[in-house]
Amino acid sequence: MRQTLWRPLTAGGLWLAACLLATVASAQTASEGLSPTLSTIKSAHVVRLGYRESSPPFSFLDQANRPIGYSLELCEAIVEEIGVEVDDPNLKIEYVKVTSDDRIDAVLQKNIDLECGSTTANAERGKRVAFSPLMFVAGTKLMVPKASTVADVKDLKGKTVVVTKGTTNEQAMHAVDKKQSLGLNIVASPDHEQSYQMLADGKADAFATDDILLYGLIVRHKAQDKFRVVGDYLSYDPYGIMFRKGEPQLSAVVERTFRKLGSNRDLVPLYNKWFTARLPTGERLNVPISLQLEEAFKAMDDSASANN
């Protein structure tokens, strides 16, 4: 039988023990009351933002390959509010590339804290992750060559349609294919840029994704004389910033960010900066704000004048 020896602590030992206890107490105080994500951010002094390489104007790369866009600017405002919440005004941002296929897993596996792209907030995804208030409304449409006779999805019977893997557009095309018995050959590519390239290379008859992303890609590639966007909406896609579910404190920080931007009348100018003004990369989308989104932004305005 092993004996446990007891020895009285020396003065040095007492001092060391006191230091260790103080360190533990300090760490507990630092993260006390914070949700898991906010606690990790406070400890690391870093917020990891997931970005997309080719989802203009939401999240894309500029000429110097730096992530920019409407969604990223909203996320950067959330980072400022997180800094207030965790009492650290000097939080650093780490940009992490995600794709349409791995973005949800990136949130769930804690590779990123906020996903700042062009992600549809729907009920199915809401079972796994959380979303910010509405930041945009889009829907699935078709991009086809200018010379194509395709004007609607029914004209694609038996033809090849490219979609981007892991998107709601992929689901929408499978649903419409089944419903209308179109016999589509639906091909999934890794990202929007590859989907666009498949259409450009003649390997697909149409590219199906959210209309705003189609317009953005056409403008980005200066391809107004090569492609057009056609058809009725095949899905309804409200966008939001994505983050981990089950953290009311983080959710409150995100909501508070949108309400501050709304009350300061910053949301519409921010929209116009990315959708109607000339982009930092030189293009101009000229997509005015929709009535639905404008009303959603007004609902974020908590200022006294808004309620008079």
Side-chain angles (χ1 to χ4, degrees):
M1 182 177 170
R2 190 173 63 182
Q3 289 183 323
T4 302
L5 298 177
W6 178 86
R7 293 190 181 93
L9 283 171
T10 63
L14 285 169
W15 178 82
L16 179 60
C19 286
L20 288 170
L21 285 171
T23 302
V24 171
S26 175
Q28 288 175 336
T29 302
S31 60
E32 188 178 356
L34 293 177
S35 72
T37 297
L38 294 177
S39 179
T40 300
I41 288 171
K42 184 174 180 67
S43 299
H45 309 289
V46 173
V47 184
R48 293 159 302 168
L49 303 185
Y51 73 92
R52 300 288 297 277
E53 285 189 324
S54 55
S55 291
F58 299 93
S59 183
F60 61 111
L61 298 175
D62 66 10
Q63 291 97 328
N65 284 327
R66 292 173 300 200
I68 60 170
Y70 172 66
S71 302
L72 282 164
E73 199 159 342
L74 285 170
C75 278
E76 287 157 8
I78 294 171
V79 171
E80 285 189 26
E81 195 62 29
I82 288 174
V84 173
E85 187 74 9
V86 304
D87 194 24
D88 186 347
N90 299 310
L91 291 174
K92 292 183 175 60
I93 291 176
E94 179 184 337
Y95 296 95
V96 181
K97 187 182 87 168
V98 297
T99 67
S100 56
D101 198 34
D102 67 16
R103 56 189 164 178
I104 295 178
D105 285 339
V107 172
L108 295 175
Q109 294 169 9
K110 302 182 180 179
N111 296 326
I112 58 173
D113 302 307
L114 300 169
E115 190 268 338
C116 319
S118 50
T119 299
T120 300
N122 59 25
E124 181 186 350
R125 288 172 173 170
K127 295 174 184 174
R128 304 175 67 199
V129 293
F131 287 96
S132 71
L134 183 70
M135 67 171 190
F136 192 79
V137 181
T140 306
K141 284 200 173 188
L142 306 170
M143 182 198 293
V144 297
K146 270 281 181 78
S148 172
T149 58
V150 172
D152 207 337
V153 70
K154 65 181 182 297
D155 299 325
L156 285 170
K157 192 162 188 174
K159 295 183 183 295
T160 298
V161 180
V162 63
V163 294
T164 303
K165 189 177 180 182
T167 60
T168 54
N169 319 107
E170 182 179 11
Q171 298 169 19
M173 290 312 298
H174 280 290
V176 75
D177 181 34
K178 184 177 180 181
K179 184 178 179 181
Q180 299 190 26
S181 302
L182 296 173
L184 297 176
N185 175 29
I186 300 173
V187 181
S189 79
D191 204 22
H192 297 314
E193 187 61 33
Q194 288 95 320
S195 296
Y196 173 88
Q197 205 55 54
M198 275 196 68
L199 182 66
D201 292 343
K203 295 177 181 177
D205 298 290
F207 170 23
T209 195
D210 293 344
D211 56 334
I212 186 62
L213 299 179
L214 295 175
Y215 292 128
L217 285 164
I218 287 172
V219 169
R220 189 91 193 272
H221 286 274
K222 297 179 173 59
Q224 292 90 335
D225 60 337
K226 296 179 182 177
F227 301 108
R228 57 194 172 93
V229 178
V230 300
D232 295 326
Y233 282 113
L234 303 173
S235 68
Y236 168 73
D237 297 282
Y239 287 2
I241 302 296
M242 184 166 54
F243 54 96
R244 275 181 284 285
K245 191 177 174 67
E247 297 195 34
Q249 188 180 14
L250 177 58
S251 184
V253 170
V254 174
E255 172 90 9
R256 193 161 66 240
T257 303
F258 272 73
R259 293 202 171 277
K260 281 188 176 180
L261 290 171
S263 299
N264 291 335
R265 310 290 204 281
D266 289 332
L267 285 171
V268 173
L270 180 60
Y271 176 95
N272 290 335
K273 172 182 175 181
W274 292 100
F275 292 89
T276 64
R278 193 172 297 282
L279 297 174
T281 44
E283 309 90 356
R284 191 193 297 270
L285 289 180
N286 286 323
V287 178
I289 191 168
S290 68
L291 182 60
Q292 182 178 2
L293 187 60
E294 192 169 19
E295 288 301 316
F297 284 170
K298 283 180 182 175
M300 289 287 109
D301 188 349
D302 291 333
S303 64
S305 59
N307 299 314
N308 286 342

